[in-house]
Amino acid sequence: MAGRYKSPLTHADVTPKAAWLNRRQIIAGAMAAGGASIASPALASLGARKTSYGSGLEPNTFEEITSYNNFYEFGVGKDDPAQNAGAMQTSPWSVVIDGMVDRPGTYSMDQILEGQTLEERIYRFRCVEAWSMVIPWVGFELADLLDRVGVQSGARYVAFETAVIPEVMPGVRRRVLDFPYVEGLRLDEAMHPLTIMATGIYDEPIPNQNGAPMRLVVPWKYGFKSIKSIVRITLTDSEPPTSWNKANAREYGFYSNVNPTVDHPRWSQATERRIGGGLFAARQETLMFNGYENEVAGLYEGMDLSVNY
Amino acid sequence: MLCLLFLRDRCLSACAGHWALRRMKPSQRINLALSRVPAWPLYIVGGLVPFWYLYLGLTGGLGVEPIEALEHRLGELALQGLIAGLAVTPLRNMTGVNLVKFRRAIGLVTFYFVTCHLLVWLVLDVQILSQIWADILKRPYITIGMIGFVLLIPLAVTSNNWSIRKLGPLKWRRLHQLGYAAAILGAVHWVMLAKGFQIEPLVYLGIVVLLLAMRVPKAVKRAVA
């Protein structure tokens, strides 16, 4: 159900659309003058429900959110996804929903979105690499989708899978990871009102490099848990494998909750750098559960978070 | 008459010069051409490159996360410099092309790149003094990078004629073999910080290993003799 999650931020805290559109035009103009060109996306508004989410956060610009991405299917460089992902066809798109559900099947995006109320949610986004952004997502609660397909009583986990399209994904051809990219959540994490399926950013359809046409967003976990361009959702009774855990179990656990007190073996997680501060950006302290401690700490009561990292 | 003789002389010497040039091997011709190229422009160009990146970083040319981009570009440049320095000897042995006169400049400019890379990490990236020290001790890839940097300090300090005289060529050469270890450590430093299976850092490590392996036969011969 939309509107369950409340927060003090108002829509007035978002960079006005006119302001960032304007900036984009200036940049596009400058790039065109410089001989380069960028695709100008169709400015179709999704008409997401204006809500008050976030907590005094200033969202990153559309450029920042869409030009600095980790999407290894399209290359390991931060600008590779923005350069390469445009070749991915996201319409038509369908998602297989199977496993322990009452109504398994192949659902088109239209069927998935039918009757869903799209909401704007301004969330912190913390990458495991110790950088962060604030993103005004547009989406709906995953719980609403799961309720519709009917989760069976024995199901305890949700597994997700990203599309694999080698023709347009150079990273897949280079086997940077064991593709398809897979992720998973415990069912209670998946049903949490903060967990959304995002289909837009800044009230526009989500760009391919950010995980079009639909991606997961779990704001209290490191970004790699928020799997992109989903083609399969499977309800299971056992913990599903997850890509980074398969690649390096010592460094990436199943839970991967944002936690400043549990370091990544190769770097500290105590601080982060918010993208957009330029060359002299100061680091800031990372918040427990990425600032969503009040909402989600209860999910992990009694668990040793340094073991279940 | 005298005039004619003089002309004939000029002609003969010019023909002889041309003939000698034609008898030269391509590598000798390259060496001859290089003998007229001074090494000092390398210092100027190399010295300016980090400032060019800094300028790009300040004006948006390095993307929305200029600190990381600056750090990585300088690190990659440093590794390329180490490889260029290591390539001089095998290149001469294999092709006869002699770049030894540029090697000091290559080495010093490379040390300067490594220093800039380190400074960006210290001042712009980590920022927090206690965390810098903790990282150096706790994170193997940083420890390794740091050791590589420290190994290069004596090399930079002794990259001058006075030091060669003072140490003697044998001792000096042995000291500068620390560059081999530094290059390996630099490449491993990058391999260790890559996420997933990434080709590029492995290619750099492969090149360094190859350039060092090419020295082995000669070293073995020397040891036997």
Side-chain angles (χ1 to χ4, degrees):
Chain A
M1 177 193 60
R4 269 186 294 218
Y5 176 65
K6 296 276 180 252
S7 103
L9 239 211
T10 71
H11 195 259
D13 294 308
V14 183
T15 305
K17 187 167 181 174
W20 61 258
L21 277 180
N22 202 16
R23 224 187 109 183
R24 225 178 343 162
Q25 276 161 0
I26 292 165
I27 288 166
M31 287 185 76
S37 69
I38 56 167
S40 62
L43 302 176
S45 169
L46 291 173
R49 218 165 67 93
K50 300 298 173 200
T51 50
S52 51
Y53 294 111
S55 48
L57 302 168
E58 195 194 328
N60 282 87
T61 66
F62 191 83
E63 283 73 40
E64 286 158 358
I65 296 166
T66 58
S67 69
Y68 192 80
N69 309 96
N70 278 326
F71 197 162
Y72 276 15
E73 283 84 341
F74 292 104
V76 295
K78 293 289 187 289
D79 52 351
D80 287 342
Q83 304 230 331
N84 299 331
M88 178 170 66
Q89 287 296 326
T90 58
S91 174
W93 190 275
S94 56
V95 181
V96 174
I97 304 180
D98 60 3
M100 304 171 78
V101 292
D102 294 330
R103 288 170 287 284
T106 302
Y107 292 83
S108 71
M109 275 311 291
D110 286 343
Q111 288 171 313
I112 286 171
L113 292 172
E114 198 187 311
Q116 297 286 10
T117 308
L118 292 182
E119 283 190 346
E120 185 169 67
R121 301 245 178 150
I122 302 162
Y123 283 162
R124 291 180 204 86
F125 183 92
R126 170 62 156 80
C127 179
V128 74
E129 296 167 341
W131 55 266
S132 65
M133 294 193 192
V134 173
I135 304 178
W137 301 108
V138 170
F140 58 91
E141 289 179 19
L142 175 58
D144 291 337
L145 178 62
L146 294 181
D147 284 344
R148 192 180 289 178
V149 295
V151 177
Q152 292 177 353
S153 60
R156 290 182 56 221
Y157 293 90
V158 188
F160 304 87
E161 189 180 307
T162 296
V164 173
I165 315 165
E167 309 86 72
V168 298
M169 293 176 164
V172 169
R173 297 198 296 269
R174 275 181 234 131
R175 306 177 143 271
V176 181
L177 282 170
D178 179 17
F179 294 112
Y181 193 85
V182 288
E183 259 306 336
L185 295 173
R186 226 169 49 192
L187 187 59
D188 56 347
E189 296 173 326
M191 299 297 280
H192 193 280
L194 278 176
T195 303
I196 60 166
M197 294 303 247
T199 58
I201 292 171
Y202 269 116
D203 207 27
E204 274 200 59
I206 192 166
N208 286 2
Q209 62 266 36
N210 295 84
M214 183 173 75
R215 67 171 292 169
L216 181 70
V217 177
V218 195
W220 71 91
K221 290 177 181 284
Y222 292 120
F224 67 87
K225 292 295 290 182
S226 294
I227 184 169
K228 298 185 174 109
S229 303
I230 295 168
V231 292
R232 183 183 286 268
I233 300 171
T234 309
L235 277 288
T236 71
D237 55 1
S238 58
E239 188 181 290
T242 59
S243 281
W244 280 105
N245 182 254
K246 285 196 292 179
N248 194 337
R250 199 175 69 91
E251 297 189 349
Y252 309 100
F254 174 79
Y255 287 95
S256 291
N257 294 316
V258 176
N259 188 339
T261 66
V262 177
D263 281 351
H264 184 282
R266 287 184 279 162
W267 53 83
S268 166
Q269 295 291 27
T271 62
E272 66 199 49
R273 189 159 51 237
R274 180 72 43 87
I275 300 297
L279 211 45
F280 305 107
R283 282 184 171 270
Q284 56 189 71
E285 302 217 327
T286 290
L287 304 170
M288 189 64 201
F289 293 113
N290 205 21
Y292 301 97
E293 191 171 6
N294 289 339
E295 291 91 337
V296 302
L299 295 172
Y300 309 101
E301 226 160 12
M303 280 174 69
D304 184 345
L305 295 176
S306 61
V307 176
N308 297 289
Y309 53 91
Chain B
M1 190 62 197
L2 208 72
C3 177
L4 268 176
L5 264 176
F6 174 72
L7 268 177
R8 194 198 62 167
D9 252 28
R10 290 267 330 237
C11 182
L12 274 179
S13 67
C15 287
H18 184 67
W19 185 70
L21 199 67
R22 267 181 50 192
R23 274 206 0 172
M24 274 181 154
K25 283 192 266 175
S27 61
Q28 288 172 316
R29 245 180 280 171
I30 292 171
N31 289 341
L32 189 71
L34 285 174
S35 69
R36 293 182 206 120
V37 181
W40 58 262
L42 277 177
Y43 293 104
I44 296 185
V45 174
L48 288 175
V49 167
F51 287 97
W52 168 244
Y53 283 155
L54 199 63
Y55 165 78
L56 285 180
L58 286 168
T59 54
L62 293 180
V64 299
E65 221 300 35
I67 299 173
E68 186 212 17
L70 187 65
E71 194 173 276
H72 287 183
R73 286 204 186 191
L74 289 169
E76 210 171 332
L77 264 181
L79 213 43
Q80 286 162 354
L82 285 166
I83 285 172
L86 285 181
V88 170
T89 297
L91 184 73
R92 188 185 50 192
N93 292 344
M94 287 179 66
T95 67
V97 175
N98 191 348
L99 298 177
V100 166
K101 79 177 234 202
F102 302 104
R103 192 161 60 182
R104 177 181 294 170
I106 292 172
L108 283 171
V109 166
T110 299
F111 180 74
Y112 166 70
F113 290 159
V114 176
T115 309
C116 290
H117 171 69
L118 179 63
L119 278 176
V120 169
W121 178 72
L122 290 174
V123 179
L124 298 179
D125 188 350
V126 185
Q127 299 171 359
I128 305 151
L129 207 67
S130 58
Q131 201 173 319
I132 288 169
W133 192 237
D135 273 359
I136 292 172
L137 297 178
K138 227 167 112 180
R139 322 270 170 213
Y141 84 91
I142 290 174
T143 316
I144 279 175
M146 213 58 185
I147 294 171
F149 169 72
V150 170
L151 290 184
L152 288 175
I153 295 173
L155 274 60
V157 170
T158 58
S159 283
N160 51 71
N161 294 341
W162 183 81
S163 294
I164 298 175
R165 273 198 303 274
K166 190 86 182 161
L167 289 166
L170 205 71
K171 238 187 192 169
W172 185 90
R173 203 174 301 152
R174 205 161 290 160
L175 176 69
H176 279 246
Q177 285 174 351
L178 283 176
Y180 301 167
I184 290 272
L185 292 173
V188 168
H189 167 71
W190 191 14
V191 169
M192 284 179 76
L193 70 90
K195 281 171 63 208
F197 174 69
Q198 295 194 28
I199 305 275
E200 216 185 346
L202 290 173
V203 168
Y204 274 85
L205 180 60
I207 293 172
V208 170
V209 169
L210 186 76
L211 288 173
L212 293 182
M214 287 165 94
R215 291 165 156 82
V216 171
K218 228 179 169 183
V220 169
K221 228 196 259 169
R222 249 202 314 266
V224 171

